Amino acid sequence: MEQRFSRESKCYKTARVFPPDVNNHNTLFGGKLMAYIDDIASIAATKHCRRSVVTASTDSVDFLHPIRPSDSVCLESFVTWTGRTSVEVFVKVIKEDLLSGERKVAATSFLTFVALDENRKPVPVPLVIPETEEELKLFETASHRADMRKIRRDESKKFAGFLTVKHPWD
């Protein structure tokens, strides 16, 4: 089976927070940050698989500290775990006060992507090899997250079966 190191999928993005990027609390729009997260995570997944990928789920986005216009936002992403046709990607968001230099983890996120072939069918992905302490910790705790994902997905399917698809005016 093909294997790749976590570091081979690592990606970084740094952006400045401008006035159009903030909400009425003068902090970065959560949706803007979520778009950054999905973008960089998809790049990490593609680098690992060397295939087209599709977002299967955004497992979590935990907002830990507000990001303000005086901050830059730096995202780091890499593959932490692999299933048969899917990869789990971790994204760490660090805010840096550009005037003081103070840095804090502002958010964390886990996303799952599925690798696709030319016919848009799922295909096997390379195994991932963690090396650093951070990569190893995320790898060791991944099976629990995968179990929780499966439970949540099953519950979502059941719930979706209950929901109506009628037009609101019908």
Side-chain angles (χ1 to χ4, degrees):
M1 183 67 169
E2 190 177 356
Q3 299 180 4
R4 293 205 174 93
F5 292 101
S6 286
R7 65 178 141 83
E8 294 179 78
S9 66
K10 282 217 175 158
C11 299
Y12 302 92
K13 173 187 180 68
T14 302
R16 186 162 196 147
V17 180
F18 287 108
D21 302 328
V22 299
N23 58 27
N24 59 314
H25 300 287
N26 205 35
T27 61
L28 183 65
F29 275 114
K32 178 91 172 180
L33 183 59
M34 290 168 70
Y36 286 162
I37 288 169
D38 191 41
D39 180 42
I40 195 157
S42 72
I43 295 169
T46 303
K47 286 175 68 170
H48 181 81
C49 299
R50 293 299 176 195
R51 293 222 171 239
S52 182
V53 298
V54 63
T55 308
S57 70
T58 300
D59 303 336
S60 66
V61 179
D62 294 311
F63 301 98
L64 305 173
H65 294 284
I67 301 169
R68 305 203 182 280
S70 59
D71 298 328
S72 67
V73 58
C74 180
L75 294 91
E76 175 186 346
S77 68
F78 55 93
V79 172
T80 57
W81 182 83
T82 56
R84 193 180 71 75
T85 62
S86 64
V87 296
E88 178 188 77
V89 177
F90 174 66
V91 180
K92 175 173 46 174
V93 179
I94 298 172
K95 73 175 206 149
E96 179 177 346
D97 184 304
L98 292 171
L99 300 179
S100 72
E102 180 184 15
R103 294 170 56 89
K104 288 184 179 177
V105 175
T108 59
S109 183
F110 288 95
L111 300 90
T112 304
F113 292 84
V114 173
L116 304 175
D117 67 12
E118 302 75 26
N119 299 313
R120 298 185 179 186
K121 300 293 182 202
V123 292
V125 299
L127 298 175
V128 67
I129 304 168
E131 298 175 286
T132 69
E133 186 176 339
E134 190 173 70
E135 293 166 359
L136 287 163
K137 177 69 171 178
L138 291 167
F139 182 82
E140 290 165 3
T141 56
S143 62
H144 175 70
R145 287 189 301 277
D147 291 343
M148 294 298 101
R149 256 192 306 277
K150 184 176 178 355
I151 291 168
R152 191 176 63 248
R153 183 167 174 80
D154 290 344
E155 289 174 353
S156 291
K157 282 182 179 181
K158 286 179 193 171
F159 184 65
F162 168 78
L163 300 174
T164 182
V165 293
K166 294 180 182 178
H167 293 284
W169 52 86
D170 286 343

